[in-house]
Amino acid sequence: MNRFGILAVIIAAITAGCASNTKQDNFREASFELCNTEVDIYSVSDDGRVRIVCSDGSKFALTSEKTLDVMRDINIDYCDGEGLGKFNESRKYYSFQCKSGTLLSISKK
């Protein structure tokens, strides 16, 4: 019975270690969701800015994890859900291009 107890503790520890996603893991998962293809470049700079370049040429530059929700909303509201081809966030604006080619810049609220 003692072996089963130790085995249960080991399995629980491994599962807990795998279940905890880091901030970088979340961005990596989102990059695959945004690209909908392979990711050629995924980088996080020292200041936390994330840059993603997809195999289809789509490019994304994010300053925070909250930006992912904004990108999803922009995709639905401005690109009719067809996807983003480019995205950049500055201090005052979101600049993006829909997969259809529409290029827009909107003010942050």
XYZ file of all heavy atoms in Angstrom:
841
model
N 0.822 -1.192 0.000
C 0.000 0.000 0.000
C 0.864 1.253 0.000
O 0.499 2.253 -0.551
C -0.910 -0.066 1.230
C -2.127 0.785 1.133
S -3.164 0.198 -0.202
C -4.578 1.100 0.146
N 2.026 1.170 0.628
C 2.920 2.313 0.708
C 3.421 2.724 -0.673
O 3.592 3.897 -0.948
C 4.083 1.981 1.639
C 4.847 3.224 2.050
O 4.385 4.330 1.809
N 5.983 3.042 2.667
N 3.668 1.758 -1.561
C 4.129 2.060 -2.923
C 3.088 2.869 -3.688
O 3.415 3.765 -4.435
C 4.412 0.775 -3.692
C 5.647 0.083 -3.271
C 5.920 -1.062 -4.203
N 6.757 -2.044 -3.544
C 7.006 -3.230 -4.015
N 6.459 -3.619 -5.144
N 7.791 -4.050 -3.374
N 1.835 2.497 -3.498
C 0.768 3.216 -4.197
C 0.653 4.655 -3.716
O 0.386 5.561 -4.492
C -0.576 2.491 -4.033
C -0.609 1.171 -4.731
C -0.723 -0.003 -4.010
C -0.514 1.098 -6.114
C -0.741 -1.230 -4.645
C -0.539 -0.131 -6.763
C -0.651 -1.298 -6.030
N 0.896 4.874 -2.442
C 0.860 6.235 -1.885
C 1.962 7.098 -2.476
O 1.756 8.239 -2.853
N 3.167 6.530 -2.556
C 4.303 7.261 -3.130
C 4.064 7.524 -4.611
O 4.307 8.619 -5.111
C 5.611 6.485 -2.912
C 5.941 6.453 -1.409
C 6.748 7.107 -3.694
C 7.094 5.556 -1.050
N 3.555 6.516 -5.301
C 3.257 6.671 -6.726
C 2.215 7.769 -6.949
O 2.344 8.582 -7.861
C 2.772 5.346 -7.310
C 2.482 5.326 -8.802
C 3.743 5.650 -9.595
C 1.942 3.975 -9.219
N 1.203 7.822 -6.104
C 0.157 8.850 -6.220
C 0.734 10.238 -6.014
O 0.387 11.198 -6.722
C -0.957 8.585 -5.223
N 1.652 10.379 -5.042
C 2.281 11.679 -4.782
C 3.138 12.108 -5.986
O 3.116 13.262 -6.402
C 3.129 11.623 -3.490
C 3.981 12.869 -3.345
C 2.231 11.437 -2.282
N 3.875 11.195 -6.561
C 4.719 11.505 -7.721
C 3.869 11.935 -8.908
O 4.164 12.927 -9.573
C 5.616 10.297 -8.084
C 6.659 10.079 -6.985
C 6.280 10.507 -9.433
C 7.459 8.798 -7.140
N 2.796 11.213 -9.165
C 1.912 11.555 -10.277
C 1.276 12.924 -10.054
O 1.188 13.740 -10.970
C 0.847 10.462 -10.493
C 1.514 9.193 -11.028
C -0.254 10.947 -11.425
C 0.609 7.991 -11.114
N 0.861 13.199 -8.821
C 0.255 14.495 -8.503
C 1.258 15.620 -8.711
O 0.919 16.688 -9.231
C -0.264 14.496 -7.077
N 2.509 15.405 -8.327
C 3.542 16.425 -8.494
C 3.826 16.702 -9.967
O 3.963 17.848 -10.389
C 4.827 15.993 -7.783
N 3.896 15.649 -10.752
C 4.134 15.806 -12.191
C 2.969 16.523 -12.851
O 3.157 17.431 -13.649
C 4.395 14.431 -12.855
C 5.733 13.872 -12.387
C 4.353 14.559 -14.374
C 5.993 12.445 -12.818
N 1.761 16.144 -12.491
C 0.569 16.773 -13.065
C 0.498 18.240 -12.693
O 0.187 19.092 -13.529
C -0.706 16.043 -12.589
O -0.583 14.667 -12.920
C -1.944 16.621 -13.238
N 0.801 18.566 -11.453
C 0.772 19.963 -11.018
C 1.826 20.774 -11.758
O 1.588 21.920 -12.144
C 0.995 20.046 -9.516
N 2.996 20.202 -11.965
C 4.053 20.905 -12.692
C 3.677 21.163 -14.134
O 3.990 22.202 -14.697
N 2.983 20.246 -14.758
C 2.575 20.408 -16.150
C 1.388 21.345 -16.293
O 1.209 21.966 -17.320
C 2.218 19.049 -16.759
S 3.618 17.932 -16.889
N 0.573 21.433 -15.256
C -0.657 22.215 -15.340
C -0.409 23.709 -15.200
O -1.213 24.512 -15.645
C -1.643 21.754 -14.274
N 0.687 24.112 -14.592
C 0.922 25.537 -14.375
C 1.561 26.157 -15.617
O 2.693 25.859 -15.953
C 1.801 25.746 -13.144
O 3.052 25.127 -13.323
N 0.800 27.002 -16.285
C 1.293 27.687 -17.474
C 1.956 28.994 -17.074
O 1.447 29.721 -16.234
C 0.147 28.004 -18.433
C -0.294 26.793 -19.195
O 0.376 25.784 -19.204
N -1.438 26.897 -19.845
N 3.066 29.278 -17.684
C 3.703 30.566 -17.462
C 3.091 31.570 -18.424
O 2.368 31.219 -19.363
C 5.218 30.475 -17.722
O 5.425 30.177 -19.110
C 5.871 29.425 -16.845
N 3.408 32.816 -18.200
C 2.915 33.871 -19.081
C 3.387 33.618 -20.510
O 2.647 33.785 -21.465
C 3.417 35.219 -18.564
C 2.846 36.413 -19.251
C 3.306 37.669 -18.553
C 2.692 38.881 -19.166
N 3.113 40.105 -18.476
N 4.624 33.169 -20.645
C 5.179 32.890 -21.969
C 4.435 31.735 -22.646
O 4.201 31.772 -23.846
C 6.668 32.582 -21.847
C 7.391 32.577 -23.170
C 8.887 32.515 -22.995
O 9.390 32.314 -21.906
N 9.600 32.684 -24.078
N 4.043 30.730 -21.875
C 3.266 29.616 -22.435
C 1.945 30.118 -22.998
O 1.506 29.690 -24.063
C 2.986 28.547 -21.376
C 4.221 27.770 -20.970
O 5.167 27.702 -21.783
O 4.233 27.257 -19.838
N 1.303 31.025 -22.273
C 0.029 31.578 -22.722
C 0.186 32.330 -24.034
O -0.636 32.212 -24.938
C -0.570 32.498 -21.663
C -0.994 31.749 -20.431
O -1.245 30.554 -20.482
N -1.051 32.437 -19.317
N 1.248 33.126 -24.148
C 1.491 33.849 -25.387
C 1.781 32.880 -26.530
O 1.334 33.075 -27.643
C 2.663 34.819 -25.241
C 2.286 36.130 -24.637
C 2.881 36.572 -23.481
C 1.337 36.948 -25.230
C 2.545 37.784 -22.925
C 0.991 38.170 -24.672
C 1.593 38.580 -23.512
N 2.532 31.830 -26.248
C 2.868 30.862 -27.297
C 1.598 30.184 -27.817
O 1.415 30.039 -29.012
C 3.859 29.834 -26.756
C 4.424 28.939 -27.837
C 5.552 28.056 -27.333
N 6.720 28.850 -26.993
C 7.250 28.929 -25.765
N 6.745 28.268 -24.762
N 8.319 29.661 -25.549
N 0.718 29.806 -26.905
C -0.546 29.194 -27.316
C -1.368 30.176 -28.143
O -1.955 29.807 -29.160
C -1.342 28.750 -26.090
C -0.754 27.557 -25.388
C -1.454 27.261 -24.076
O -2.581 27.738 -23.873
O -0.860 26.541 -23.257
N -1.405 31.421 -27.714
C -2.163 32.431 -28.437
C -1.559 32.692 -29.812
O -2.279 32.950 -30.773
C -2.210 33.727 -27.642
N -0.246 32.592 -29.914
C 0.383 32.842 -31.213
C -0.050 31.790 -32.222
O -0.295 32.104 -33.382
C 1.908 32.885 -31.090
O 2.430 31.615 -30.788
N -0.182 30.551 -31.786
C -0.664 29.509 -32.694
C -2.113 29.773 -33.066
O -2.519 29.569 -34.200
C -0.507 28.123 -32.075
C 0.909 27.637 -32.059
C 1.620 27.585 -30.883
C 1.530 27.260 -33.230
C 2.932 27.149 -30.871
C 2.845 26.823 -33.236
C 3.550 26.771 -32.041
N -2.890 30.240 -32.102
C -4.293 30.572 -32.371
C -4.394 31.723 -33.369
O -5.201 31.700 -34.282
C -4.979 30.962 -31.060
C -6.419 31.371 -31.218
C -7.018 31.827 -29.898
O -6.634 31.315 -28.844
O -7.876 32.716 -29.953
N -3.553 32.742 -33.206
C -3.593 33.900 -34.098
C -3.068 33.563 -35.483
O -3.610 34.015 -36.485
C -2.768 35.052 -33.513
C -3.307 35.685 -32.244
C -2.280 36.633 -31.657
C -4.604 36.410 -32.517
N -1.993 32.810 -35.531
C -1.383 32.473 -36.817
C -2.243 31.506 -37.610
O -2.315 31.592 -38.823
C -0.006 31.851 -36.610
S 1.246 33.002 -36.056
N -2.815 30.576 -36.925
C -3.563 29.507 -37.573
C -2.675 28.770 -38.573
O -3.134 28.235 -39.565
C -4.831 30.047 -38.239
C -5.851 28.969 -38.465
O -5.781 27.904 -37.869
N -6.793 29.220 -39.343
N -1.398 28.817 -38.327
C -0.375 28.136 -39.110
C 0.853 28.030 -38.212
O 0.773 28.339 -37.034
C -0.075 28.903 -40.413
O 0.872 28.164 -41.171
C 0.465 30.277 -40.157
N 1.984 27.652 -38.740
C 3.173 27.537 -37.917
C 3.729 28.906 -37.551
O 3.561 29.878 -38.286
C 4.236 26.730 -38.650
C 3.873 25.268 -38.786
C 5.016 24.438 -39.315
O 6.179 24.780 -39.049
O 4.735 23.447 -39.993
N 4.398 28.952 -36.421
C 5.029 30.176 -35.948
C 6.502 30.123 -36.334
O 7.214 29.202 -35.952
C 4.879 30.320 -34.422
C 5.611 31.540 -33.918
C 3.412 30.363 -34.040
N 6.961 31.103 -37.125
C 8.371 31.158 -37.511
C 9.216 31.785 -36.411
O 10.309 31.315 -36.124
C 8.552 31.953 -38.805
C 8.082 31.177 -40.024
O 7.900 29.943 -39.926
O 7.880 31.805 -41.076
N 8.714 32.879 -35.832
C 9.455 33.581 -34.785
C 8.520 33.896 -33.636
O 7.412 34.396 -33.839
C 10.062 34.899 -35.309
C 11.058 34.616 -36.435
C 10.730 35.682 -34.183
C 11.549 35.863 -37.132
N 8.979 33.582 -32.450
C 8.261 33.938 -31.231
C 9.302 34.452 -30.258
O 10.219 33.719 -29.891
C 7.555 32.719 -30.637
C 6.850 33.029 -29.343
C 5.536 33.461 -29.342
C 7.510 32.923 -28.126
C 4.892 33.773 -28.169
C 6.870 33.231 -26.953
C 5.564 33.654 -26.975
O 4.935 33.979 -25.809
N 9.216 35.738 -29.882
C 10.224 36.273 -28.970
C 9.581 37.160 -27.928
O 8.571 37.825 -28.182
C 11.282 37.064 -29.747
O 10.706 38.221 -30.305
N 10.187 37.140 -26.757
C 9.780 38.017 -25.664
C 11.017 38.813 -25.253
O 12.037 38.237 -24.892
C 9.256 37.213 -24.456
C 8.831 38.151 -23.336
C 8.107 36.315 -24.856
N 10.912 40.145 -25.349
C 12.051 40.990 -24.998
C 12.124 41.182 -23.485
O 11.225 40.783 -22.750
C 11.948 42.335 -25.708
O 10.768 43.005 -25.295
N 13.195 41.808 -23.028
C 13.389 42.031 -21.600
C 12.275 42.871 -20.981
O 11.958 42.714 -19.811
C 14.740 42.717 -21.345
C 15.906 41.803 -21.642
O 15.713 40.560 -21.657
O 17.019 42.314 -21.866
N 11.691 43.762 -21.780
C 10.609 44.604 -21.255
C 9.244 43.926 -21.344
O 8.226 44.521 -21.032
C 10.574 45.952 -21.969
C 10.268 45.856 -23.451
O 10.148 44.735 -23.974
O 10.147 46.919 -24.092
N 9.206 42.656 -21.777
C 7.962 41.894 -21.822
C 7.200 41.979 -23.123
O 6.168 41.356 -23.291
N 7.691 42.750 -24.080
C 7.019 42.887 -25.379
C 7.172 41.587 -26.166
O 8.253 41.013 -26.238
C 7.614 44.051 -26.150
C 6.825 44.430 -27.358
C 7.283 45.815 -27.836
N 6.645 46.183 -29.058
C 5.466 46.789 -29.147
N 4.797 47.088 -28.068
N 4.952 47.100 -30.318
N 6.081 41.138 -26.750
C 6.069 39.876 -27.481
C 5.962 40.150 -28.975
O 5.154 40.971 -29.405
C 4.871 39.003 -27.039
C 4.795 37.734 -27.852
C 4.963 38.687 -25.561
N 6.782 39.468 -29.750
C 6.732 39.578 -31.209
C 6.517 38.186 -31.781
O 7.197 37.236 -31.395
C 8.012 40.191 -31.731
C 8.093 41.659 -31.414
C 9.420 42.267 -31.833
N 9.463 43.679 -31.520
C 9.668 44.194 -30.314
N 9.830 43.399 -29.293
N 9.706 45.492 -30.122
N 5.568 38.114 -32.718
C 5.215 36.842 -33.332
C 5.226 37.025 -34.839
O 4.643 37.977 -35.352
C 3.808 36.394 -32.889
C 3.735 36.264 -31.368
C 3.429 35.079 -33.561
C 2.316 36.203 -30.836
N 5.908 36.140 -35.552
C 5.890 36.138 -37.009
C 5.425 34.748 -37.436
O 6.010 33.743 -37.057
C 7.270 36.443 -37.622
C 7.211 36.388 -39.139
C 7.777 37.800 -37.152
N 4.352 34.723 -38.212
C 3.759 33.469 -38.659
C 4.327 33.049 -40.013
O 4.868 33.872 -40.754
C 2.244 33.622 -38.790
S 1.455 34.297 -37.322
N 4.173 31.786 -40.344
C 4.656 31.261 -41.617
C 4.001 31.928 -42.818
O 4.604 32.024 -43.879
C 4.412 29.753 -41.689
O 5.166 29.090 -40.720
N 2.768 32.412 -42.637
C 2.083 33.065 -43.752
C 2.419 34.548 -43.873
O 1.836 35.255 -44.676
C 0.568 32.875 -43.636
C -0.041 33.580 -42.440
O 0.701 34.179 -41.629
O -1.285 33.528 -42.299
N 3.384 35.022 -43.056
C 3.809 36.417 -43.126
C 3.087 37.334 -42.146
O 3.440 38.502 -42.029
N 2.096 36.840 -41.427
C 1.398 37.650 -40.432
C 2.363 38.017 -39.314
O 3.209 37.211 -38.922
C 0.209 36.886 -39.848
O -0.711 36.566 -40.847
N 2.236 39.264 -38.816
C 3.131 39.746 -37.772
C 2.325 40.385 -36.657
O 1.365 41.103 -36.913
C 4.099 40.781 -38.341
C 4.997 40.237 -39.412
C 5.866 41.307 -40.000
C 6.699 40.742 -41.138
N 7.488 41.787 -41.794
N 2.747 40.106 -35.429
C 2.064 40.644 -34.264
C 3.082 41.168 -33.268
O 4.112 40.534 -33.048
C 1.215 39.567 -33.581
C 0.246 38.900 -34.514
C 0.518 37.656 -35.039
C -0.936 39.528 -34.880
C -0.373 37.032 -35.894
C -1.831 38.913 -35.742
C -1.546 37.670 -36.248
N 2.787 42.332 -32.678
C 3.616 42.891 -31.623
C 2.690 43.272 -30.470
O 1.791 44.088 -30.630
C 4.369 44.123 -32.132
N 2.898 42.652 -29.327
C 2.019 42.836 -28.177
C 2.798 43.388 -26.996
O 3.947 43.023 -26.794
C 1.411 41.495 -27.753
C 0.932 40.547 -28.839
C 0.542 39.224 -28.231
C -0.231 41.147 -29.568
N 2.146 44.230 -26.202
C 2.812 44.752 -25.010
C 2.346 44.078 -23.731
O 3.033 44.161 -22.726
C 2.609 46.272 -24.863
O 1.216 46.555 -24.814
C 3.243 47.014 -26.015
N 1.194 43.426 -23.762
C 0.720 42.743 -22.560
C -0.246 41.627 -22.925
O -0.760 41.570 -24.039
C 0.031 43.726 -21.614
O -1.235 44.090 -22.113
N -0.510 40.783 -21.941
C -1.417 39.663 -22.162
C -2.841 40.149 -22.428
O -3.595 39.512 -23.152
C -1.379 38.738 -20.950
C -1.968 37.392 -21.195
C -1.632 36.404 -20.095
O -1.045 36.803 -19.078
O -1.956 35.229 -20.282
N -3.210 41.285 -21.858
C -4.539 41.865 -22.085
C -4.764 42.167 -23.565
O -5.886 42.165 -24.040
C -4.720 43.154 -21.292
C -4.754 42.972 -19.809
C -4.913 44.319 -19.142
C -4.574 44.243 -17.680
N -4.608 45.553 -17.050
N -3.691 42.429 -24.274
C -3.787 42.761 -25.693
C -4.407 41.628 -26.497
O -5.071 41.859 -27.500
C -2.389 43.104 -26.245
O -1.838 44.164 -25.467
C -2.459 43.546 -27.691
N -4.224 40.394 -26.065
C -4.797 39.257 -26.787
C -6.317 39.362 -26.856
O -6.917 39.086 -27.888
C -4.379 37.947 -26.135
C -2.896 37.622 -26.232
C -2.559 36.431 -25.362
C -2.480 37.390 -27.657
N -6.942 39.776 -25.763
C -8.398 39.961 -25.767
C -8.796 41.079 -26.714
O -9.787 40.980 -27.428
C -8.905 40.263 -24.351
C -8.746 39.079 -23.416
O -8.798 37.928 -23.911
O -8.568 39.301 -22.207
N -8.016 42.150 -26.730
C -8.281 43.268 -27.643
C -8.180 42.792 -29.087
O -9.011 43.130 -29.924
C -7.295 44.436 -27.384
C -7.420 45.513 -28.442
C -7.500 45.013 -25.994
N -7.166 41.974 -29.375
C -6.975 41.466 -30.733
C -8.164 40.609 -31.170
O -8.617 40.715 -32.298
C -5.686 40.653 -30.827
C -4.440 41.493 -30.688
S -2.945 40.512 -30.613
C -2.790 40.039 -32.330
N -8.652 39.795 -30.268
C -9.816 38.969 -30.598
C -11.036 39.839 -30.883
O -11.784 39.588 -31.831
C -10.102 37.994 -29.461
C -9.065 36.895 -29.376
C -9.393 35.910 -28.264
N -8.312 34.953 -28.117
C -7.494 34.908 -27.073
N -7.635 35.749 -26.072
N -6.541 34.009 -27.030
N -11.224 40.896 -30.068
C -12.344 41.812 -30.289
C -12.199 42.558 -31.611
O -13.171 42.718 -32.358
C -12.455 42.822 -29.139
C -12.884 42.175 -27.834
O -13.436 41.051 -27.870
O -12.674 42.800 -26.778
N -10.993 43.001 -31.917
C -10.742 43.708 -33.182
C -11.036 42.784 -34.361
O -11.648 43.197 -35.343
C -9.291 44.229 -33.237
C -9.151 45.445 -32.311
C -8.878 44.589 -34.662
C -7.730 45.945 -32.155
N -10.606 41.554 -34.256
C -10.848 40.581 -35.325
C -12.348 40.442 -35.585
O -12.786 40.416 -36.738
C -10.229 39.232 -34.966
C -10.403 38.201 -36.046
O -10.456 38.501 -37.229
N -10.499 36.963 -35.634
N -13.130 40.375 -34.520
C -14.580 40.217 -34.676
C -15.232 41.511 -35.164
O -16.018 41.506 -36.108
C -15.210 39.755 -33.345
C -14.748 38.330 -33.029
C -16.725 39.831 -33.406
C -15.038 37.891 -31.613
N -14.891 42.639 -34.523
C -15.561 43.908 -34.812
C -15.149 44.548 -36.137
O -15.972 45.118 -36.837
C -15.312 44.914 -33.687
C -15.928 44.476 -32.366
O -16.845 43.631 -32.383
O -15.485 44.989 -31.318
N -13.883 44.478 -36.480
C -13.380 45.194 -37.654
C -13.038 44.287 -38.837
O -13.036 44.736 -39.976
C -12.144 46.028 -37.285
C -12.446 47.126 -36.307
C -12.268 46.945 -34.949
C -12.929 48.358 -36.742
C -12.543 47.952 -34.039
C -13.215 49.368 -35.846
C -13.023 49.161 -34.496
O -13.308 50.169 -33.602
N -12.688 43.034 -38.553
C -12.267 42.128 -39.625
C -13.304 41.038 -39.895
O -13.036 40.106 -40.645
C -10.923 41.479 -39.273
S -9.577 42.655 -39.049
N -14.462 41.141 -39.287
C -15.548 40.171 -39.467
C -15.103 38.732 -39.201
O -15.573 37.793 -39.833
C -16.147 40.273 -40.874
C -16.784 41.633 -41.124
O -17.373 42.197 -40.172
O -16.686 42.121 -42.261
N -14.140 38.560 -38.291
C -13.692 37.226 -37.906
C -12.786 36.537 -38.903
O -12.436 35.376 -38.722
N -12.349 37.253 -39.951
C -11.508 36.615 -40.979
C -10.055 36.481 -40.561
O -9.292 35.762 -41.191
C -11.599 37.392 -42.281
C -11.009 38.780 -42.199
C -11.316 39.640 -43.408
O -12.237 39.320 -44.165
O -10.609 40.638 -43.587
N -9.662 37.180 -39.512
C -8.297 37.074 -39.004
C -7.490 38.334 -39.222
O -7.819 39.173 -40.052
N -6.433 38.443 -38.457
C -5.520 39.578 -38.542
C -4.273 39.166 -39.302
O -3.737 38.081 -39.095
C -5.134 40.054 -37.144
C -6.275 40.566 -36.270
C -5.784 40.774 -34.846
C -6.840 41.845 -36.828
N -3.815 40.042 -40.179
C -2.577 39.794 -40.903
C -1.395 40.452 -40.231
O -0.292 39.936 -40.227
N -1.644 41.619 -39.629
C -0.606 42.355 -38.908
C -1.262 43.025 -37.718
O -2.443 43.378 -37.757
C 0.041 43.415 -39.788
C 0.853 42.871 -40.926
C 1.517 43.969 -41.702
C 2.291 43.371 -42.861
N 2.956 44.389 -43.662
N -0.473 43.233 -36.681
C -0.986 43.912 -35.500
C 0.178 44.552 -34.775
O 1.232 43.936 -34.604
C -1.692 42.923 -34.564
C -2.313 43.581 -33.369
C -3.621 44.028 -33.418
C -1.587 43.771 -32.202
C -4.196 44.643 -32.325
C -2.150 44.385 -31.107
C -3.462 44.823 -31.166
N -0.004 45.792 -34.360
C 1.016 46.483 -33.586
C 0.328 47.356 -32.550
O -0.677 47.988 -32.839
C 1.911 47.328 -34.495
C 3.100 47.879 -33.734
O 3.761 47.165 -32.998
N 3.359 49.153 -33.916
N 0.888 47.378 -31.369
C 0.336 48.187 -30.288
C 1.355 49.237 -29.887
O 2.499 48.922 -29.585
C 0.018 47.280 -29.100
C -0.537 48.009 -27.912
C -0.787 47.097 -26.736
O -0.305 45.951 -26.725
O -1.478 47.546 -25.811
N 0.934 50.493 -29.913
C 1.776 51.570 -29.406
C 1.142 52.106 -28.133
O 0.131 51.581 -27.670
C 1.921 52.670 -30.461
O 0.695 53.344 -30.640
N 1.693 53.165 -27.596
C 1.138 53.717 -26.358
C -0.284 54.229 -26.545
O -1.102 54.151 -25.651
C 2.010 54.850 -25.842
C 3.303 54.403 -25.235
C 4.075 55.553 -24.676
N 3.457 56.818 -25.108
C 3.831 58.009 -24.753
N 4.825 58.145 -23.950
N 3.242 59.083 -25.196
N -0.599 54.754 -27.728
C -1.899 55.394 -27.940
C -2.796 54.696 -28.950
O -3.982 54.977 -29.012
C -1.695 56.836 -28.395
C -1.055 57.711 -27.347
C -0.963 59.142 -27.826
C -0.347 60.014 -26.759
N -0.320 61.413 -27.152
N -2.238 53.803 -29.760
C -3.012 53.228 -30.860
C -2.806 51.721 -31.002
O -1.777 51.174 -30.618
C -2.612 53.878 -32.192
C -2.933 55.333 -32.286
C -1.978 56.291 -31.989
C -4.204 55.749 -32.653
C -2.280 57.638 -32.057
C -4.514 57.099 -32.731
C -3.553 58.029 -32.429
O -3.864 59.358 -32.489
N -3.801 51.096 -31.625
C -3.676 49.739 -32.149
C -3.696 49.875 -33.665
O -4.629 50.442 -34.220
C -4.862 48.853 -31.738
C -4.999 48.629 -30.257
C -6.068 49.172 -29.556
C -4.079 47.860 -29.566
C -6.213 48.953 -28.198
C -4.214 47.630 -28.200
C -5.286 48.192 -27.531
O -5.421 47.978 -26.184
N -2.678 49.407 -34.328
C -2.634 49.400 -35.784
C -2.709 47.954 -36.229
O -1.999 47.100 -35.701
C -1.336 50.024 -36.298
O -1.234 51.352 -35.852
N -3.554 47.691 -37.212
C -3.726 46.312 -37.635
C -4.179 46.243 -39.083
O -4.668 47.207 -39.645
C -4.730 45.581 -36.735
C -6.088 46.224 -36.681
C -7.104 45.813 -37.530
C -6.341 47.236 -35.778
C -8.348 46.411 -37.482
C -7.591 47.837 -35.718
C -8.597 47.422 -36.566
N -3.981 45.076 -39.645
C -4.430 44.795 -41.000
C -5.204 43.492 -40.971
O -4.730 42.487 -40.437
C -3.254 44.673 -41.954
C -3.673 44.449 -43.387
C -2.488 44.479 -44.332
O -1.343 44.455 -43.915
N -2.775 44.544 -45.610
N -6.399 43.539 -41.507
C -7.208 42.325 -41.609
C -6.645 41.446 -42.722
O -5.940 41.924 -43.613
C -8.664 42.675 -41.931
S -9.460 43.712 -40.686
N -6.933 40.168 -42.682
C -6.465 39.257 -43.732
C -6.980 39.684 -45.106
O -6.376 39.377 -46.117
C -6.914 37.821 -43.434
C -6.264 37.214 -42.225
C -4.996 36.517 -42.561
C -4.455 35.853 -41.306
N -3.316 35.022 -41.533
N -8.104 40.424 -45.150
C -8.654 40.905 -46.411
C -7.826 42.033 -47.010
O -7.987 42.381 -48.174
C -10.083 41.403 -46.209
O -10.086 42.564 -45.393
N -6.946 42.642 -46.186
C -6.113 43.736 -46.671
C -6.472 45.075 -46.058
O -5.723 46.035 -46.185
N -7.614 45.182 -45.410
C -8.027 46.425 -44.778
C -7.032 46.801 -43.691
O -6.743 46.013 -42.801
C -9.439 46.277 -44.144
O -10.340 45.845 -45.151
C -9.902 47.578 -43.540
N -6.489 48.020 -43.777
C -5.506 48.520 -42.830
C -6.134 49.616 -41.989
O -6.651 50.596 -42.548
C -4.277 49.036 -43.577
C -3.090 49.501 -42.765
C -2.517 48.366 -41.920
C -2.016 50.067 -43.671
N -6.113 49.465 -40.666
C -6.758 50.437 -39.786
C -5.875 50.752 -38.585
O -5.015 49.956 -38.207
C -8.092 49.891 -39.261
C -9.175 49.621 -40.289
C -10.299 48.820 -39.662
C -9.717 50.925 -40.834
N -6.140 51.902 -38.006
C -5.502 52.299 -36.765
C -6.584 52.891 -35.887
O -7.291 53.805 -36.314
C -4.392 53.317 -37.051
O -3.742 53.646 -35.854
N -6.725 52.376 -34.677
C -7.749 52.895 -33.774
C -7.099 53.331 -32.471
O -6.075 52.786 -32.034
C -8.869 51.870 -33.501
C -8.314 50.584 -32.890
C -9.652 51.566 -34.762
C -9.376 49.598 -32.448
N -7.693 54.342 -31.870
C -7.194 54.878 -30.612
C -7.512 53.940 -29.458
O -8.573 53.321 -29.434
C -7.847 56.246 -30.373
O -7.458 56.759 -29.143
N -6.594 53.839 -28.517
C -6.864 53.065 -27.312
C -7.874 53.840 -26.483
O -7.885 55.059 -26.458
C -5.592 52.877 -26.482
C -4.633 51.881 -27.070
C -3.471 51.707 -26.129
C -2.587 50.563 -26.539
N -1.474 50.381 -25.609
N -8.702 53.135 -25.765
C -9.718 53.788 -24.932
C -9.210 54.027 -23.552
O -8.433 53.375 -23.014
C -10.974 52.933 -24.881
C -11.597 52.808 -26.238
C -12.794 51.920 -26.174
C -13.356 51.732 -27.579
N -14.442 50.839 -27.632
